[in-house]
C-alpha cells in the first residue's frame, strides 16, 4: 500500500521532521534495519577475531589487508555516481507508470456532458461506457500486477464482481489473441459512442470525436503499462548497481576495521565504525528506493494501490455519469455582485498568513519622484539619422506631477493601513456582537439570509451562508452607543 506522509511535511519545523523520521511502515528503517544489524554483527565478529584470536604475525598481515581494502575504496566504487543516475531513471519510469495507470474522471465528465438524456436507455449506455473502461483496466492489471491477480484469479471472478456479464465473458473467451482481449471492451465503448451519435444522443461528430479521443487516451495509458511490463530495465543495469553496493560494504567489513597494534594504529578505537554505518544507511536506503520502484505494481509498502484505483474508477465513474451530476443548478447572482473591491473571506487564523501577490517586483518603484516632467526622445542611433528639424518633431515632454501625487498617496495609505493593523482592528470588531432585533433579524432581515437571495426575492437554499457585507459587526462600546440611540 502507498504510505502517505504529506500532512506530516506541511510545515518545515522540527515536529514535521521527527514525524517524518519516526515512521516505520515504508521507512528507511524498515528497509535497511535488518541488513544493517547483520552487517554490524559480522563486523564485530571479525573485529573480535582480529583482536583476540590472531597471533601478532597474523595481526600484521590482517592490518596490511585493512589498509589495502580501505585505500581509495570510494574512488574505485563510485556509489554516489552509480546510484544517482539509476534512481533518477527509475523514478522517472515510476512517474510514467503512475500517469498511465488510467484515471476515468475526464472520460466520465465527457460521457455525462455530451451524451444527453434522462431515459433508462441513455443511463444504461453511460454506465456501461464507464464499466467497459474499468473492465479493460482490470484485464490489463490482472496480467501485470500480483495485487489484482490475487483479487481476480479467473475470468469468472471478474463476472462475479460485476465488471462484466456472462455474455461478455463468453465473447472474451472466444478471442484467441490475448492482447486483443484487453481492448475488446474499449471497442464496445467506441461502438456505443458511435450509436449514440447516430441516434442523436450526441449532438455532432465533433463531440463524438472528443469522447473517442478521451477513450483513446485511457487505452494508450494502459498500453504503456503493458509495454513497461514487457520491456523492463535491462537486467545488467540493476545487477551492476545492486552488486556494487553490496560488494562495497562487504569490503568495508575488513577495510573499516580499527587498527589496534603495530606502528600506525588508528587514532581512536570505537569498535563500531559510526561513519560507515551512516554510509550503509544512506546508500542501502537509496538502493532500496530503486528496488521498490522498479515494479510499482507489486505488493511492497510503497507500491501503487491498483485494486483501489479500479474501485475508485468504477465508483467515481458511475457517480459522475448519473443524471443528477449533469444537472446545472439555478443561476443566481454571486455573493460579490455589485461590489467593486472584491475581498474573498478567510478564517481569522488563516488571514494572519502573509501572501505575496502576483505583482511585478519593480511595479512600486517611482523613478520620477523628484521630477516634474520626462523628456522623450528617439534612441541616439536613430537621432544620428535625423536632421535637426526632424529631431524636434519627435521631442515629447511628459508631465509626471499627477503620477507622483498618486504614488505618494498610495504609499501613504499603505503605511497607514498595514495588513497587520487592519487584521488587528477586524479581530477587535469580531469580539463584538451582531446588532439584532428581538426576532433575531437585522433591520427586519433574517441574519442568515444571503444577500443575493434578498435582492432577487428567492428563498435561500443554504441557511448557514452569510454575505460578507450583509451583517454589521460592532465593538462592545459602539453597540452600547447604538442601543441608547
Amino acid at each position: 500500500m502507498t504510505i502517505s506522509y504529506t500532512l506530516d511535511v506541511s510545515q518545515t519545523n522540527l515536529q514535521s521532521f521527527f514525524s517524518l523520521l519516526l515512521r516505520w511502515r515504508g521507512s528507511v528503517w524498515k528497509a535497511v534495519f535488518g541488513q544493517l544489524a547483520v552487517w554490524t554483527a559480522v563486523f564485530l565478529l571479525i573485529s573480535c577475531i582480529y583482536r583476540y584470536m590472531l597471533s601478532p604475525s597474523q595481526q600484521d598481515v590482517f592490518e596490511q589487508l585493512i589498509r589495502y581494502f580501505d585505500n581509495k575504496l570510494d574512488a574505485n566504487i563510485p556509489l554516489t555516481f552509480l546510484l544517482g543516475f539509476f534512481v533518477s531513471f527509475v523514478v522517472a519510469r515510476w512517474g510514467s507508470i503512475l500517469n498511465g495507470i488510467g484515471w476515468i474522471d475526464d472520460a466520465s465528465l465527457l460521457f455525462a456532458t455530451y451524451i444527453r438524456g434522462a431515459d433508462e436507455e441513455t443511463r444504461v449506455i453511460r454506465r456501461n461506457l464507464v464499466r467497459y473502461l474499468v473492465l479493460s483496466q482490470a484485464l490489463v492489471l490482472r496480467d501485470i500486477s500480483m495485487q489484482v491477480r490475487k483479487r481476480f484469479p479467473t475470468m469468472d471472478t471478474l463476472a462475479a464482481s460485476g465488471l462484466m456479464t456472462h455474455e461478455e465473458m463468453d465473447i472474451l473467451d472466444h478471442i484467441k489473441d490475448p492482447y486483443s482481449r484487453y481492448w475488446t471492451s474499449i471497442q464496445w465503448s467506441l461502438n456505443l459512442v458511435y450509436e449514440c451519435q447516430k441516434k442523436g444522443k450526441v449532438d455532432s461528430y465533433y463531440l463524438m470525436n472528443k469522447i473517442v479521443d478521451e477513450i483513446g487516451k485511457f487505452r494508450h495509458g494502459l498500453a504503456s503499462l503493458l509495454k513497461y511490463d514487457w520491456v523492463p530495465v535491462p537486467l545488467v543495469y540493476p545487477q551492476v548497481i545492486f552488486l556494487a553496493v553490496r560488494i562495497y560494504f562487504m569490503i568495508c567489513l575488513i577495510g573499516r576495521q580499527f587498527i589496534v597494534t603495530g606502528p600506525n594504529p588508528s587514532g581512536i578505537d570505537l569498535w563500531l565504525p559510526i561513519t560507515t554505518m551512516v554510509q550503509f544507511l544512506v546508500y542501502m536506503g537509496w538502493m532500496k528506493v530503486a528496488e521498490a520502484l522498479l515494479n510499482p505494481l507489486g505488493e511492497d509498502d510503497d507500491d501503487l494501490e491498483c485494486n483501489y484505483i479500479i474501485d475508485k474508477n468504477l465508483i467515481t465513474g458511475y457517480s459522475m455519469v448519473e443524471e443528477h451530476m449533469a444537472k446545472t443548478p439555478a443561476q443566481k447572482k454571486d455573493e460579490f455582485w455589485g461590489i467593486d473591491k472584491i475581498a474573498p473571506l478567510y478564517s481569522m487564523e488563516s488571514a494572519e498568513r502573509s501572501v505575496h501577490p502576483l505583482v511585478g517586483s519593480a511595479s512600486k518603484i517611482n523613478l520620477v519622484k523628484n521630477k516634474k516632467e520626462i523628456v522623450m526622445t528617439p534612441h541616439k542611433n536613430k537621432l544620428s539619422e535625423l536632421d535637426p528639424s526632424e529631431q524636434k518633431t519627435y521631442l515629447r515632454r511628459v508631465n509626471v506631477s499627477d503620477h507622483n501625487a498618486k504614488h505618494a498617496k498610495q504609499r501613504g495609505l499603505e503605511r497607514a493601513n498595514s495588513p497587520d493593523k487592519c487584521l488587528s482592528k477586524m479581530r477587535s470588531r469580531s469580539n463584538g456582537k451582531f446588532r439584532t432585533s428581538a426576532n433575531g433579524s437585522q433591520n427586519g432581515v433574517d441574519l442568515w439570509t444571503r444577500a443575493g437571495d434578498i435582492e432577487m426575492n428567492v428563498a435561500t437554499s443554504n441557511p448557514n451562508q452569510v454575505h460578507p457585507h450583509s451583517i454589521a459587526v460592532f465593538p462592545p462600546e459602539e453597540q452600547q452607543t447604538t442601543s441608547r440611540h
Side-chain angles (χ1 to χ4, degrees), residues 414-426:
E414 291 177 358
R415 286 191 293 269
N417 298 316
S418 67
D420 291 334
K421 288 181 180 179
C422 293
L423 182 61
S424 178
K425 291 179 181 178
M426 185 62 73

Side-chain angles (χ1 to χ4, degrees), residues 458-475:
V458 179
T460 180
S461 59
N462 184 356
N464 296 321
Q465 187 167 356
V466 183
H467 190 280
H469 303 290
S470 63
I471 296 178
V473 182
F474 297 91

Side-chain angles (χ1 to χ4, degrees), residues 36 52 56 162 325 380 481:
L36 179 59
Y52 304 117
M325 288 293 294
K380 62 181 181 179
T481 305

Side-chain angles (χ1 to χ4, degrees), residues 185-258:
S185 58
I186 297 290
Q187 183 63 57
W188 295 341
S189 64
L190 294 175
N191 292 340
L192 281 179
V193 172
Y194 182 77
E195 290 298 325
C196 286
Q197 203 285 322
K198 285 294 187 182
K199 294 179 181 179
K201 298 180 185 295
V202 178
D203 290 339
S204 66
Y205 281 105
Y206 174 76
L207 298 182
M208 183 192 75
N209 288 333
K210 294 281 288 184
I211 300 175
V212 169
D213 289 344
E214 197 59 46
I215 295 175
K217 291 179 183 178
F218 190 86
R219 192 210 69 83
H220 178 76
L222 296 177
S224 68
L225 296 187
L226 288 170
K227 294 171 185 175
Y228 278 122
D229 181 74
W230 179 43
V231 183
V233 178
L235 182 60
V236 175
Y237 201 0
Q239 281 182 337
V240 168
I241 302 301
F242 300 157
L243 194 62
V245 174
R246 288 174 170 85
I247 289 177
Y248 178 92
F249 286 105
M250 288 175 62
I251 294 174
C252 286
L253 289 173
I254 297 177
R256 299 297 167 83
Q257 293 286 340
F258 294 96

Side-chain angles (χ1 to χ4, degrees), residues 319-330:
S319 177
M320 295 176 75
V321 299
E322 281 300 317
E323 184 65 23
H324 66 272
M325 288 293 294
K327 287 183 179 179
T328 304

